[in-house]
């Protein structure tokens, strides 16, 4: 048994030195304090990295198909009334969403940017007590109201009971509503008076659009949109204005859900129009993004980059449709972010490397200083140091 213990004792890689042979120096004490502080700082730095998740980034080809793209927006027009502005979306597949109203909220703003209380429909007192029927006569007390669509009926029994119904029927036909005062419904509801009452007001529009995951555009523009000879146009004659102030502030614009670290370059961007009218264009490159947190929860979202361009128009000659346009295209590359913790063995290995590395370097430095001082002292004793 003693022989085995002696063999194990001979394997000791850390032979002990009798304390009588220790020589403690001031330089050694300073190096010990400094190295201890360095080891302490490096240890806590490594501990912080171990406790917090690290994010790994990868680029892969986007092979997803048949998905939709959610566009979240919040845009303020300080000089464009809510009754004028409309939202349209279309893509290269030919799908169109004209004058979108669902999932979109409009807030009227005064000149100071304060929200105005919602005003009930039918602004202004009716100027005609008995509405005009489709057959040409006035509504009697025992009749059901069925207003005329003024030639825009899709079927013989179609009725347009409001100014909005007539405008929608005209839009489907691809016609412009040049003079709303000639339309009985618009005259009764005070359509032009409503526009005049909102003169000088602004509008905050927010909500979301659900579109196909292909290249396309969405835009905010005055007037109701319609197709005419396969061309997208807006009915601006009804507003009887020569120019529109498209100054705007983008409070938020995002393609998809929020995820940690996302940066949307158009958030809080403000643009002031200096020319009478024109088209302001944003060209966006959308990059599909997948974010996976440490718990395994996955967020499907997008990032984007942007460039801007303004196309002006002369007063009275609207060569291009006035509005704020967002043209987006999809990148074929998908970015994946994956959160993951450093393993405990990796942490332990790094801690050992810190302790061993600092201890070894400080030992080499202490030995160099000690033997240097000893050599200088010896030369001074024999008078050879100069």
């Amino acid at each position: 048994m003693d022989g085995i213990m002696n063999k194990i004792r001979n394997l000791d890689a850390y032979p002990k030195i009798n304390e009588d042979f220790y020589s403690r120096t001031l330089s050694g004490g300073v190096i010990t304090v400094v190295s201890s502080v360095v080891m302490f700082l490096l240890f806590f730095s490594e501990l912080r990295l171990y406790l917090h998740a690290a994010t790994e980034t990868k680029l892969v080809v986007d092979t997803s198909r048949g998905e939709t793209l959610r566009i979240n927006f919040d845009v303020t027009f300080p000089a464009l009334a809510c009754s004028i502005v409309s939202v349209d979306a279309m893509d290269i597949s030919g799908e169109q969403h004209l004058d979108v109203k669902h999932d979109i909220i409009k807030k009227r703003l005064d000149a100071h940017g304060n929200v105005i209380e919602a005003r009930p429909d039918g602004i202004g007192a009716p100027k005609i007590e008995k509405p005009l029927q489709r057959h040409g006569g006035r509504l009697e007390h025992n009749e059901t109201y069925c207003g005329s669509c003024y030639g825009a009926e899709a079927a013989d029994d179609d009725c347009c009971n409001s100014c909005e119904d007539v405008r929608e029927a005209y839009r489907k036909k691809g016609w412009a509503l040049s003079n709303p005062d000639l339309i009985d419904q618009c005259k009764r509801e005070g359509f032009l008076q409503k526009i005049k009452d909102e003169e000088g007001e602004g509008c905050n529009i927010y909500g979301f659009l659900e579109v196909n995951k292909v290249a396309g555009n969405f835009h905010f523009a005055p007037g109701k949109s319609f197709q005419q000879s396969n061309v997208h146009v807006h009915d601006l004659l009804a507003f009887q204005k020569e120019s529109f102030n498209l100054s705007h502030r983008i409070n938020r614009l995002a393609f998809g859900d929020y995820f940690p670290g996302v940066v949307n370059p158009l958030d809080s961007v403000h643009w002031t129009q200096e020319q009478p009218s024109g088209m302001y264009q944003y060209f966006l490159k959308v990059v599909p993004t997948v974010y996976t947190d440490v718990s395994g929860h996955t967020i499907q979202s997008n990032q984007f980059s942007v460039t801007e361009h303004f196309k002006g128009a002369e007063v009275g000659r609207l060569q291009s449709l006035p509005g704020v346009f967002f043209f987006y295209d999809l990148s074929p590359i998908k970015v994946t972010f994956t959160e993951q913790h450093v393993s405990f063995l990796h942490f332990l290995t790094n801690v050992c490397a810190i302790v061993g590395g600092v201890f070894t370097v400080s030992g080499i430095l202490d030995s160099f200083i000690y033997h240097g001082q000893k050599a200088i002292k010896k030369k001074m004793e024999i008078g050879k140091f100069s």
Side-chain angles (χ1 to χ4, degrees):
M1 187 68 179
D2 290 339
I4 296 175
M5 298 298 290
N6 288 332
K7 289 182 180 180
I8 295 176
R9 188 178 294 111
N10 291 333
L11 295 176
D12 185 6
Y14 308 100
K16 311 303 182 291
I17 301 175
N18 194 306
E19 292 186 3
D20 294 338
F21 297 97
Y22 281 151
S23 177
R24 303 184 185 277
T25 62
L26 176 62
S27 61
V30 173
I31 293 174
T32 301
V33 172
V34 173
S35 61
S36 299
V37 172
V38 171
M39 278 192 287
F40 182 80
L41 294 176
L42 293 178
F43 170 77
F44 271 94
S45 174
E46 190 64 31
L47 180 63
R48 185 179 62 85
L49 293 176
Y50 171 70
L51 295 178
H52 291 78
T55 302
E56 180 183 3
T57 305
K58 289 183 179 179
L59 298 178
V60 297
V61 176
D62 185 13
T63 57
S64 59
R65 293 180 299 172
E67 297 182 353
T68 59
L69 184 66
R70 178 169 175 146
I71 306 172
N72 304 295
F73 59 85
D74 183 351
V75 183
T76 299
F77 294 90
L80 204 60
C82 287
S83 60
I84 293 179
V85 66
S86 64
V87 183
D88 301 327
M90 55 197 69
D91 58 47
I92 59 173
S93 69
E95 185 169 325
Q96 298 186 1
H97 304 272
L98 304 181
D99 197 16
V100 182
K101 288 183 169 60
H102 57 83
D103 302 318
I104 293 177
I105 299 174
K106 295 181 180 180
K107 288 183 178 180
R108 292 171 52 209
L109 306 175
D110 61 19
H112 303 288
N114 301 316
V115 178
I116 302 174
E117 290 295 329
R119 192 162 51 177
D121 292 335
I123 304 305
K127 299 180 180 180
I128 301 175
E129 294 181 359
K130 295 182 179 181
L132 190 65
Q133 289 279 55
R134 182 163 56 91
H135 54 68
R138 292 293 174 182
L139 176 67
E140 301 297 336
H141 69 279
N142 58 348
E143 287 184 320
T144 301
Y145 177 50
C146 180
S148 172
C149 295
Y150 296 88
E153 297 90 347
D156 292 339
D157 57 349
D158 283 352
C159 300
C160 294
N161 296 338
S162 67
C163 183
E164 184 63 25
D165 290 345
V166 178
R167 295 180 70 203
E168 182 65 18
Y170 269 54
R171 183 190 69 79
K172 291 179 179 179
K173 284 284 188 179
W175 298 349
L177 188 64
S178 58
N179 190 354
D181 269 347
L182 298 179
I183 306 300
D184 180 70
Q185 293 89 326
C186 297
K187 191 173 182 180
R188 282 190 297 106
E189 294 174 9
F191 177 78
L192 291 180
Q193 185 61 42
K194 177 182 177 180
I195 296 175
K196 291 178 181 178
D197 291 343
E198 294 186 5
E199 186 73 28
E201 290 185 5
C203 188
N204 172 236
I205 309 175
Y206 64 94
F208 68 90
L209 297 169
E210 200 84 27
V211 298
N212 295 326
K213 196 174 180 181
V214 294
N217 80 84
F218 66 97
H219 55 265
F220 304 87
K224 184 175 285 290
S225 58
F226 57 90
Q227 290 291 116
Q228 189 176 68
S229 302
N230 295 323
V231 178
H232 181 78
V233 295
H234 279 242
D235 180 13
L236 304 178
L237 297 176
F239 303 120
Q240 301 177 359
K241 296 181 66 174
E242 292 186 347
S243 63
F244 299 89
N245 188 342
L246 299 173
S247 298
H248 59 274
R249 174 184 174 85
I250 303 174
N251 304 308
R252 179 173 180 262
L253 179 65
F255 290 80
D257 298 328
Y258 170 84
F259 63 90
V262 64
V263 177
N264 297 316
L266 286 180
D267 286 1
S268 301
V269 168
H270 182 268
W271 178 75
T272 302
Q273 178 174 306
E274 297 178 354
Q275 298 187 28
S277 190
M279 174 191 293
Y280 200 84
Q281 300 168 317
Y282 294 96
F283 297 92
L284 314 174
K285 176 65 74 171
V286 180
V287 181
T289 304
V290 179
Y291 186 91
T292 305
D293 59 21
V294 289
S295 62
H297 176 64
T298 299
I299 301 174
Q300 300 281 349
S301 189
N302 300 274
Q303 304 177 86
F304 67 92
S305 60
V306 60
T307 56
E308 307 170 20
H309 176 69
F310 177 72
K311 183 178 181 181
E314 299 177 7
V315 178
R317 297 180 61 189
L318 300 179
Q319 300 169 346
S320 58
L321 175 65
V324 179
F325 287 72
F326 297 85
F327 298 91
Y328 57 88
D329 194 7
L330 279 299
S331 169
I333 302 299
K334 178 188 291 185
V335 180
T336 64
F337 296 107
T338 305
E339 278 189 348
Q340 54 187 8
H341 278 299
V342 177
S343 67
F344 179 73
L345 289 179
H346 184 79
F347 167 71
L348 192 61
T349 301
N350 287 350
V351 170
C352 292
I354 289 171
V355 175
V358 174
F359 185 80
T360 301
V361 172
S362 60
I364 294 173
L365 184 61
D366 176 63
S367 177
F368 176 78
I369 295 176
Y370 174 73
H371 289 290
Q373 288 178 338
K374 192 174 181 180
I376 292 173
K377 186 176 181 181
K378 187 174 183 181
K379 287 186 177 182
M380 289 179 66
E381 288 177 350
I382 62 177
K384 291 185 177 181
F385 181 78
S386 59

